Amino acid sequence: MPPLRLAILECDTPLDGTRARYGGYGGVFTRLIRDAERSLKAEQDVEEEEEEEEEEEEEEEEEIQITSYNVEREPDRYPRMENVDGVLITGSRHSSFTSRVWIVKLLDFVSRILAAPSSPKLIGVCFGHQIVGRALGLPVDKNPGGWEISVLDMTLDDEGRRVFGRETIALHQMHRDAILSLTPPASPPQPQPAQTNHSTTTSSTDPPTPTPPFYPPHPLLPSLRPLGTTPRCSTQGLHIPSILITVQGHPEFDESIVRELLETRHQTGIFADDVFEEAMGRVGRAQDGGVVARGFVRFLRGVL
């Protein structure tokens, strides 16, 4: 069987320390997916006979081929849909509800995936989760509950328990924007000024367009299954079997990545002292990024 082909759409560039370790968010997600593949392979090996394991080891190859595209910096460079089996949209410092030219192009690409009968499977993380929601016609805006940062518990719905095999999971969070409801808005959104979600600056070389494009309720909405909630954010994930899976949290983040984000945002005044100290108190907590990543891999393989 040929390997699965995954395209990672990078929607931001990491801070210096993370960039030195991984090169970009494509590298961060590649590590996550490779770890999940190894974990699932180890679980499979435990259930198999020794001679079958030896045969598989002789034929072993990477099951998922990963290619990265920085669609923020190169907004006209996207994979051809017929050449990939899955597309993963990363997080970003930019707000997903604005209409910068590169964000509109990303939304158009996602809309084409959702419209195609034999399209690649779609994975969204944080900003990517919100972009998928927006393309489906759901309301996306600043979260009235405010920021969610550092490791937080997420209560899983029925579908979340089925997908992840847990009652709750803990994930790193780093967002103040959110999908506000699973009910589409009654009218198109109003123009929004430039916003940032993860950034330490509001500057951008790509100004927003005057009027945000309106995405009407998508025919797939009746099939949409929520995955879980937190006290501050009611839509923490979405799933349509064999079509899409998203999470608001960051399964790809580890303690060092989040420490760098927290320290930088504190130094630049984005996080006040009390918010920073409280978040730093949770940054080293155990988190379940690996559980979510295994769910992603099973989804790409057609199990979910």
Side-chain angles (χ1 to χ4, degrees), residues 112-134:
R112 285 190 283 120
I113 290 178
L114 294 173
S118 58
S119 59
K121 293 179 171 66
L122 192 58
I123 301 173
V125 173
C126 193
F127 171 90
H129 156 81
Q130 297 162 18
I131 287 291
V132 172
R134 186 175 171 187

Side-chain angles (χ1 to χ4, degrees), residues 119-283:
S119 59
K121 293 179 171 66
L122 192 58
I123 301 173
V125 173
C126 193
F127 171 90
H129 156 81
Q130 297 162 18
I131 287 291
V132 172
R134 186 175 171 187
L136 288 168
L138 298 177
V140 180
D141 209 324
K142 280 189 178 181
N143 183 13
W147 283 96
E148 285 193 310
I149 54 179
S150 200
V151 179
L152 292 169
D153 292 326
M154 169 180 161
T155 301
L156 297 177
D157 295 331
D158 289 344
E159 185 68 2
R161 291 191 289 271
R162 186 183 77 84
V163 168
F164 300 125
R166 305 280 185 90
E167 292 292 323
T168 63
I169 57 174
L171 287 179
H172 281 292
Q173 301 276 359
M174 188 61 67
H175 73 104
R176 65 172 174 177
D177 304 336
I179 296 174
L180 302 185
S181 170
L182 296 183
T183 302
S187 59
Q190 298 302 307
Q192 296 282 353
Q195 300 280 348
T196 54
N197 190 29
H198 284 220
S199 70
T200 58
T201 174
T202 58
S203 65
S204 174
T205 58
D206 187 13
T209 53
T211 304
F214 178 60
Y215 296 86
H218 198 280
L220 287 171
L221 279 180
S223 301
L224 200 62
R225 304 174 185 178
L227 293 179
T229 64
T230 60
R232 289 191 177 185
C233 181
S234 61
T235 305
Q236 284 286 338
L238 304 170
H239 185 222
I240 300 177
S242 299
I243 295 176
L244 66 86
I245 188 168
T246 72
V247 291
Q248 176 59 72
H250 284 276
E252 81 282 14
F253 279 1
D254 59 21
E255 180 178 347
S256 66
I257 293 173
V258 178
R259 278 187 181 276
E260 184 178 29
L261 282 166
L262 290 172
E263 289 168 355
T264 301
R265 295 162 87 84
H266 180 234
Q267 291 167 5
T268 54
I270 294 175
F271 293 149
D273 291 348
D274 58 338
V275 174
F276 171 72
E277 294 295 340
E278 194 268 340
M280 288 292 282
R282 290 182 280 105
V283 73

